[in-house]
Amino acid sequence: MCGIFGYTGSKTNAAEVVLDGLKKLEYRGYDSWGVSVSGAKGKISVCKNVGKIGNATVKTLSASTIGIGHTRWATHGGVTKKNSHPHLSCDKNISLIHNGIIENYDTLREKLVTQCHTFISETDSEVAVHLVEQLRKKYDLTESVRKAFLKLKGLNALVVMESDSESLVAVSNGSPVVVGFGEHENMVASDADALTSHTKTVYYLKDSELVYVNKDTVTLFDAITGKKKSFKKIVLEHGEKASQKGEFKHFMLKEIYEQPQIITSIANDTTMPDRKLAQIIKESFGTYLVGCGTAAYACLAGSYLFSKVAKTHVNWAVGSEFGYHLDFLKNKSLVLALSQSGETMDILESVKKAKTKKATLACLVNVYGSSLFRESHYNFMVGAGPEKAVASTKAFIGMLSHLLLTSYALKGSYEDGKKTLLKASKSVKDLLGKDGIKSIKKLARKIAQVEHIYVVGRGLSYPASLEVALKIKEMSYIHTEGFAAGELKHGVISLITKGTPCIVFAPHDETYGANISGAMELKARGGYIIGVSNKDHEVFDYHISVKDALEGTIIPNVVFGQLLAYYLAIERDCDPDMPRNLAKSVTVK
Ligand code: M6R
């Protein structure tokens, strides 16, 4: 979704610094971009474009020590140059970038029009710059931004710059803003990854905080009262390297290859956070797992793991539906929200509602300091490191690893959980070896031009099927559906015709026999059976060898699907890191 970057400092090429910051935010997904600087004679100049940044430059902008920039993912108004940010005030002295949705923009706009403001875009964002301009007639910039912000309904972040000034003002509510502290330079961004090439020392704005930033000082205010606040900077653990592709062609592939190491380090973590999580679950009066997309499938897998390993019942829901499930929540209920970004609006909205019911909120999140992290009573980190590809891979595997360990901790046999995870890590490593990759690439070539793919499994292979189907859809745009294998004969089997690729998960557990029977039924209707199992079987037309790892087999099974999705994207000339229409963090409803 939209990205924000602002710079003020001693460098005189602010436009390039900002453009570079925007490039680091590209992975979030966007359809247009823009940069503005306060240049010669204090005039604000702007450069905007539709599409990706690519090889574009900002050479038309003058030398400057201050600038702001934005990558836009269109919500209100089409993908046009006019609608892209930064937006300017009528007198062109104020420049503004915005993330979020201004829910009351139409009424604000109507009033501003009567006050003689001229709008040039169709966006909700533009009202914010005219509001600031209107208030600036009476107040200084900080106070004008604060007062304007208080008039906005919804979850929003603004960064504002004025001509002839060396200061930026940023304010946020429910939309992330991070301040980066450098040497005679300071920055703001919607994502810490955009800052790590400059500094690892940051501060995450909390809801309704406003920050006044110039090259040597950063002053924090409570946006509601206008009073100054003290704050504590933090030093990020990961540096710039963790956010780079290195030797890999795409972030997605790099992130897939990081997975064995991530699983191993979760298993060997001597601080054992999953024991604490198990204790919180034990003490609660019912647990609800909540997530969206891939994280929702991690929740579903968690419900199987808790049942199978710990004989504990947990509920689960997708974030956007969870709000309709809240009526029974009590003050001892536990909501465990899973999210890579920690910024997914559907999750944030529903957990906020759960909090009003006095439920305890815990999160398993991959981004330190994210909105969900701040909102929760208990925070657990996934520990997968920055995930830049739009498709979630390593964060999902990290979530599964924690849920598996937690289920063993609940059962009182943490050490067995550790062993299972290490087995899963080894199985993933094998799959990533030369032979595994060769066989997946060959399969991708074989099925790259099909119209439909079906993925089936039972038990823990059911969430695996859903997740693998989602990955293939996202990456290759091939219509792919995941099903519980037992549902086939209740309707789905009518879709199978001669040659339809059917991926059948058949780990050697209690589901094996039934899965093989399902594969036979599919084959009898013409299905082309891709069996994912540690042993070949005569019903398989194509065999992918995945070593069993007890309850951890879901992990290598999903990794197979991630790799297939990746190589299908390559075969079909799709961009695996930035699939069409998708954004990395979905910060709107
Ligand atoms: O950041 P989150 O984990 O909360 O994101 C949830 C979903 O938007 C995300 O998993 C999405 O489904 C991805 N595109 C999956 O690859």
Side-chain angles (χ1 to χ4, degrees):
M1 299 257 131
C2 305
I4 275 179
F5 192 89
Y7 173 86
T8 173
S10 46
K11 295 189 180 109
T12 53
N13 61 338
E16 268 116 37
V17 176
V18 172
L19 188 71
D20 197 49
L22 293 187
K23 285 184 183 161
K24 307 239 166 65
L25 298 170
E26 284 191 294
Y27 77 98
R28 294 165 69 95
Y30 69 108
D31 40 47
S32 56
W33 60 278
V35 175
S36 71
V37 294
S38 175
K41 298 188 192 130
K43 279 259 166 266
I44 289 183
S45 49
V46 187
C47 168
K48 296 184 188 192
N49 260 312
V50 165
K52 302 287 183 221
I53 297 171
N55 294 325
T57 65
V58 278
K59 291 207 172 101
T60 51
L61 297 180
S62 36
S64 173
T65 54
I66 181 166
I68 58 178
H70 188 265
T71 49
R72 174 174 188 252
W73 192 85
T75 57
H76 293 56
V79 182
T80 63
K81 217 164 161 173
K82 273 187 183 163
N83 288 341
S84 58
H85 304 211
H87 293 289
L88 292 181
S89 55
C90 296
D91 65 8
K92 313 241 179 314
N93 282 328
I94 301 170
S95 171
L96 174 145
I97 50 182
H98 163 237
N99 274 6
I101 290 179
I102 301 172
E103 288 167 10
N104 56 336
Y105 81 97
D106 43 356
T107 44
L108 291 171
R109 186 176 170 134
E110 266 169 37
K111 181 147 186 228
L112 285 159
V113 169
T114 64
Q115 290 166 325
C116 296
H117 289 267
T118 308
F119 283 78
I120 57 164
S121 80
E122 299 146 359
T123 64
D124 54 335
S125 312
E126 198 186 347
V127 298
V129 75
H130 293 290
L131 257 183
V132 174
E133 179 177 35
Q134 187 64 25
L135 289 154
R136 188 70 181 92
K137 292 179 183 162
K138 242 173 137 180
Y139 305 100
D140 66 13
L141 184 68
T142 309
E143 194 57 4
S144 306
V145 174
R146 188 180 81 78
K147 285 195 177 322
F149 182 72
L150 293 181
K151 289 185 192 291
L152 310 182
K153 286 206 178 120
L155 301 175
N156 296 291
L158 307 174
V159 180
V160 188
M161 176 183 93
E162 203 171 28
S163 56
D164 254 343
S165 163
E166 292 295 308
S167 313
L168 300 171
V169 180
V171 60
S172 146
N173 179 28
S175 190
V177 173
V178 197
V179 185
F181 300 84
E183 285 283 314
H184 303 299
E185 59 181 13
N186 290 310
M187 289 132 274
V188 291
S190 46
D191 192 322
D193 285 345
L195 302 173
T196 47
S197 58
H198 301 275
T199 177
K200 281 168 81 179
T201 308
V202 302
Y203 174 73
Y204 289 87
L205 251 61
K206 298 194 181 71
D207 283 351
S208 300
E209 285 187 339
L210 178 146
V211 75
Y212 172 86
V213 184
N214 62 31
K215 80 177 169 52
D216 292 309
T217 54
V218 171
T219 316
L220 187 75
F221 296 88
D222 181 322
I224 297 176
T225 62
K227 291 207 174 105
K228 274 192 192 162
K229 285 177 86 174
S230 58
F231 62 96
K232 234 177 154 175
K233 300 175 192 171
I234 60 160
V235 180
L236 296 170
E237 271 176 26
H238 64 266
E240 199 190 0
K241 208 162 158 241
S243 309
Q244 288 173 344
K245 274 192 273 206
E247 77 212 52
F248 291 93
K249 202 159 168 229
H250 296 102
F251 279 112
M252 184 180 178
L253 197 59
K254 173 190 177 239
E255 288 160 7
I256 290 174
Y257 271 86
E258 283 170 3
Q259 296 178 120
Q261 178 51 39
I262 292 165
I263 306 164
T264 306
S265 61
I266 291 172
N268 291 333
D269 185 348
T270 49
T271 64
M272 292 186 272
D274 302 297
R275 274 203 168 147
K276 186 173 173 208
L277 178 55
Q279 194 53 36
I280 297 168
I281 293 172
K282 250 185 207 159
E283 286 162 10
S284 71
F285 189 74
T287 299
Y288 233 119
L289 303 184
V290 193
C292 295
T294 287
Y297 299 144
C299 295
L300 176 61
S303 73
Y304 279 91
L305 284 168
F306 286 175
S307 163
K308 194 171 179 201
V309 178
K311 320 296 174 222
T312 301
H313 171 74
V314 297
N315 295 299
W316 77 283
V318 295
S320 53
E321 287 299 310
F322 182 57
Y324 311 112
H325 269 265
L326 294 177
D327 295 323
F328 70 93
L329 284 183
K330 310 225 170 7
N331 66 358
K332 283 201 83 186
S333 309
L334 174 70
V335 175
L336 175 58
L338 271 58
S339 174
Q340 189 288 127
S341 61
E343 301 297 346
T344 304
M345 186 60 68
D346 287 331
I347 292 283
L348 289 171
E349 286 223 319
S350 58
V351 297
K352 279 183 183 160
K353 282 189 205 152
K355 268 176 93 179
T356 65
K357 292 255 172 188
K358 306 240 178 323
T360 303
L361 177 58
C363 68
L364 181 53
V365 72
N366 199 39
V367 179
Y368 183 90
S370 55
S371 303
L372 183 59
F373 181 98
R374 298 194 309 266
E375 193 66 38
S376 304
H377 300 110
Y378 298 101
N379 324 105
F380 295 91
M381 291 298 294
V382 175
E387 189 180 71
K388 305 283 272 187
V390 164
S392 189
T393 55
K394 61 177 181 169
F396 176 78
I397 295 300
M399 287 171 190
L400 276 190
S401 305
H402 283 289
L403 292 172
L404 186 136
L405 263 187
T406 306
S407 66
Y408 274 93
L410 265 172
K411 186 190 172 194
S413 48
Y414 189 85
E415 285 304 313
D416 290 340
K418 233 177 111 164
K419 281 186 202 146
T420 308
L421 264 191
L422 293 173
K423 239 180 163 148
S425 169
K426 171 82 180 46
S427 174
V428 174
K429 229 185 196 153
D430 290 345
L431 192 64
L432 292 171
K434 225 167 111 202
D435 291 345
I437 297 297
K438 199 170 151 200
S439 135
I440 297 170
K441 274 186 174 170
K442 190 172 157 203
L443 176 62
R445 270 196 303 276
K446 217 176 184 61
I447 63 172
Q449 302 313 325
V450 300
E451 269 185 64
H452 312 281
I453 299 176
Y454 297 98
V455 194
V456 296
R458 288 169 184 260
L460 274 162
S461 302
Y462 170 44
S465 304
L466 295 174
E467 170 55 11
V468 167
L470 178 63
K471 280 289 97 74
I472 297 177
K473 278 184 260 200
E474 288 183 298
M475 297 298 100
S476 67
Y477 319 142
I478 298 176
H479 168 242
T480 310
E481 294 299 333
F483 293 103
E487 282 295 287
L488 279 171
K489 47 191 168 298
H490 299 292
V492 183
I493 205 153
S494 65
L495 298 171
I496 309 301
T497 56
K498 192 167 169 6
T500 310
C502 302
I503 298 171
V504 178
F505 287 115
H508 276 74
D509 57 16
E510 71 283 8
T511 65
Y512 184 75
N515 277 326
I516 294 294
S517 305
M520 303 267 189
E521 287 162 15
L522 289 167
K523 192 161 181 147
R525 271 92 193 160
Y528 177 78
I529 310 300
I530 300 151
V532 184
S533 186
N534 69 350
K535 258 205 317 210
D536 201 354
H537 188 283
E538 60 182 9
V539 74
F540 300 157
D541 294 300
Y542 199 96
H543 174 226
I544 296 285
S545 172
V546 169
K547 294 207 177 89
D548 282 333
L550 304 165
E551 289 78 18
T553 312
I554 179 176
I555 292 177
N557 277 349
V558 168
V559 175
F560 146 72
Q562 297 169 347
L563 286 162
L564 179 62
Y566 174 81
Y567 287 113
L568 281 172
I570 301 294
E571 285 295 322
R572 291 166 64 91
D573 244 346
C574 307
D575 180 349
D577 281 346
M578 276 188 253
R580 69 182 178 210
N581 303 341
L582 292 174
K584 182 64 182 161
S585 27
V586 185
T587 51
V588 293
K589 266 212 279 185

